[in-house]
C-alpha cells in the first residue's frame, strides 16, 4: 500500500507531487486532462505572471513547465497517471482502494485532493474524429512562434478569440488573421472589438461551421455558412485556432461525502484536513474563511497538508524538518 494519492495535476497538484517526493512519500498523482498543468496551462499559458515569489516576471507556460520538471524528478516515488478519473473509492481498514476509469486499482493510506475547479477540457470543433490529433488545429496557443507569417483562422467570438486576433497582428506575428464567429455580436470587451478593424483582422460573422475537410493529420478547409444571407464559403488556413471556451467534466469527488460549501468547495482545517481525517485538500478546490484563490496560497496549503500527512504515515511525533533539508539527506 502506498502513502498518498494526489487527485489533480494542476499547479497545486504538481507542487504536491514535488513536495511528496522530497518528503519521501510514495504514491500516485492522477490527472483527468490530456496533460498536467491545470487552469494556467489550459486557459492562460501566454500570460506573464508577476506574483510568483522569486520571479519579477515569468510566462505562465514557463512557470508550469518548471513545476512539471521539478515534479518529474520524483517520478520513481510518485507515479503519474494521466487521462483518468476516479471510478470508485472504497474505504478499507488502513486506507482506500481506488479504481480509476482507466481500470488501474490503487491502494493508498491517505488522499490529497488538488482538483481545483474540475477537469477543464476545451469545447472542440464538431464533425471531427475525436481521437485524431490535427497538427494545425489548436485549442490553446502554446507556441505562437509557429504562427509567424502564417495564415490564421480563429473560431469563436469571446475575449480570447478577439484578444488573440489583435495580439497576432499587433505583435507582427501574422498580418493574415480571420475571425469566424457564429453570432453578429462578439462576447468581448468593446475596446478590443474596435481594435479588430484597426488591425485589419478579417471578420466573418454570423458564420457557422458546417463541415471540416481534413487530409491525414491536417485540417485543409472549413465550410462555413451564413444563414441570413444564405451564403456558404470555403476557407483555408495554415492554422485554425478554436476558442469556444471550456467545459468542466464531473470530478466524481462526491464519492467521498466530505463537508463542502453550497458551491461544492471542500471545507478544510488550518492543517489541510477535510471532514475525513485521512483526506486532505489544497488549492482552488478548498474553502476556509479568508481564503485567497491563487497559486501561491495553494502551494502553502500543499506544504501544510503534506506535513500533516507525514504524521499519519510516521506517527504524531514525526517532524520532517525543512523539505530541502530532508530531500538533501535522502539524495546523498
Ligand atoms: C484567467 C486567469 C488568470 C489567473 N491569473 C493568475 C495569476 O496571475 N496568478 C495566480 O497565482 N493565479 C492566477 N489565477 C488562478 C490560478 O489559475 C488558480 O489559483 C490555480 O490554477 C489553482 O490551481 P489548482 O491546481 O488548485 O487547480 P486547477 O488549476 O484547476 O487544476 C486542477 C487540476 O485537477 C484536475 N482534476 C480535477 N478533478 C480531477 C479528478 N477527479 N481526477 C483527475 N484530475 C482531476 C484538473 O484537470 C486540473 O488539471 C488565474 C486564473 C484564471 C482563470
Amino acid at each position: 500500500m502506498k502513502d498518498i494519492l494526489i487527485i489533480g495535476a494542476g499547479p497545486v497538484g504538481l507542487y504536491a507531487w514535488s513536495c511528496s517526493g522530497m518528503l519521501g512519500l510514495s504514491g500516485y498523482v492522477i490527472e483527468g486532462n490530456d496533460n498536467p498543468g491545470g487552469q494556467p496551462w489550459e486557459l492562460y499559458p501566454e500570460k506573464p505572471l508577476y506574483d510568483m515569489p522569486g520571479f519579477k516576471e515569468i510566462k505562465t507556460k514557463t512557470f508550469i513547465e518548471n513545476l512539471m520538471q521539478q515534479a518529474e524528478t520524483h517520478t520513481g516515488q510518485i507515479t503519474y497517471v494521466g487521462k483518468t478519473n476516479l471510478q470508485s473509492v472504497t474505504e478499507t481498514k488502513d486506507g482506500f482502494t481506488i479504481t480509476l476509469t482507466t481500470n488501474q486499482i490503487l491502494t493508498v493510506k491517505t488522499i490529497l485532493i488538488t482538483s481545483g475547479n474540475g477537469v477543464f477540457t476545451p469545447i472542440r470543433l464538431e464533425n471531427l474524429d475525436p481521437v485524431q490529433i490535427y497538427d494545425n488545429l489548436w485549442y490553446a496557443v502554446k507556441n505562437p512562434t509557429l504562427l509567424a507569417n502564417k495564415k490564421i483562422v480563429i473560431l469563436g467570438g469571446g475575449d480570447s478569440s478577439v484578444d488573440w486576433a489583435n495580439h497576432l497582428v499587433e505583435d507582427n506575428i501574422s498580418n493574415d488573421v480571420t475571425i469566424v464567429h457564429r453570432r453578429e455580436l462578439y462576447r468581448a470587451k468593446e475596446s478590443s472589438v474596435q481594435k479588430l478593424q484597426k488591425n485589419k483582422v478579417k471578420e466573418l460573422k454570423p458564420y457557422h461551421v458546417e463541415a471540416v475537410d481534413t487530409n491525414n493529420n491536417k485540417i485543409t478547409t472549413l465550410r462555413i455558412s451564413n444563414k441570413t444571407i444564405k451564403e456558404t464559403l470555403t476557407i483555408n488556413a495554415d492554422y485554425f485556432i478554436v476558442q469556444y471556451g471550456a467545459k468542466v467534466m464531473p470530478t466524481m469527488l462526491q464519492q467521498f461525502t466530505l463537508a463542502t460549501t453550497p458551491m461544492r468547495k471542500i471545507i478544510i482545517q488550518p492543517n489541510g484536513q477535510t471532514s475525513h481525517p485521512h483526506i486532505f485538500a489544497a488549492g482552488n478546490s478548498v474553502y476556509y474563511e479568508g481564503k485567497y484563490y491563487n497559486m501561491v496560497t495553494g502551494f502553502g496549503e500543499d506544504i501544510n497538508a503534506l506535513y500533516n500527512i507525514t504524521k499519519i504515515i510516521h506517527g504524531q511525533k514525526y517532524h520532517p524538518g525543512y523539505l530541502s533539508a530532508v530531500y538533501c539527506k535522502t539524495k546523498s
Side-chain angles (χ1 to χ4, degrees), residues 177-284:
V177 180
T178 304
I179 189 163
V180 179
H181 180 36
R182 69 197 162 102
R183 298 212 171 88
E184 192 57 59
L185 293 178
Y186 292 105
R187 282 174 291 105
K189 284 183 292 300
E190 191 47 39
S191 55
S192 310
V193 170
Q194 280 173 13
K195 280 197 210 158
L196 289 172
Q197 273 194 351
K198 193 178 122 239
N199 286 331
K200 300 196 170 59
V201 172
K202 287 173 222 113
E203 298 173 65
L204 292 173
K205 62 191 176 71
Y207 277 87
H208 179 78
V209 178
E210 293 287 349
V212 185
D213 301 312
T214 63
N215 185 3
N216 294 323
N217 57 348
K218 285 223 178 311
I219 306 286
T220 49
T221 48
L222 295 183
R223 272 170 286 152
I224 58 172
S225 69
N226 180 325
K227 296 232 160 65
T228 321
I229 56 169
K230 297 195 173 49
E231 180 183 64
T232 300
L233 297 176
T234 301
I235 54 169
N236 61 23
D238 297 310
Y239 285 92
F240 297 88
I241 301 169
V242 179
Q243 299 282 282
Y244 288 165
K247 61 181 176 199
V248 188
M249 314 278 277
T251 59
M252 308 301 285
L253 294 176
Q254 66 278 12
Q255 302 190 55
F256 291 118
T257 59
L258 301 173
T260 62
T261 66
M263 299 296 284
R264 304 206 63 77
K265 295 275 183 203
I266 302 164
I267 297 168
I268 60 165
Q269 302 302 312
N271 67 357
Q273 202 172 43
T274 66
S275 53
H276 187 296
H278 289 184
I279 303 179
F280 291 71
N284 265 38

Side-chain angles (χ1 to χ4, degrees), residues 278-295:
H278 289 184
I279 303 179
F280 291 71
N284 265 38
S285 58
V286 310
Y287 173 81
Y288 49 86
E289 205 179 324
K291 155 96 181 164
Y292 182 72
Y293 290 87
N294 78 347
M295 290 189 252

Side-chain angles (χ1 to χ4, degrees), residues 7-13 30-33 38-40 43-44 47 49 51-52 84-86 114-120 251 253 282-285 293-296:
I7 301 174
V12 177
I30 64 165
E31 170 53 52
N33 228 327
Q39 292 179 62
L43 302 180
Y44 55 95
K47 182 182 130 153
L49 297 173
D51 56 354
M52 282 305 150
T84 196
N85 205 322
L86 305 166
T114 51
S115 59
N117 291 359
V119 183
F120 272 83
T251 59
L253 294 176
N284 265 38
S285 58
Y293 290 87
N294 78 347
M295 290 189 252
V296 173

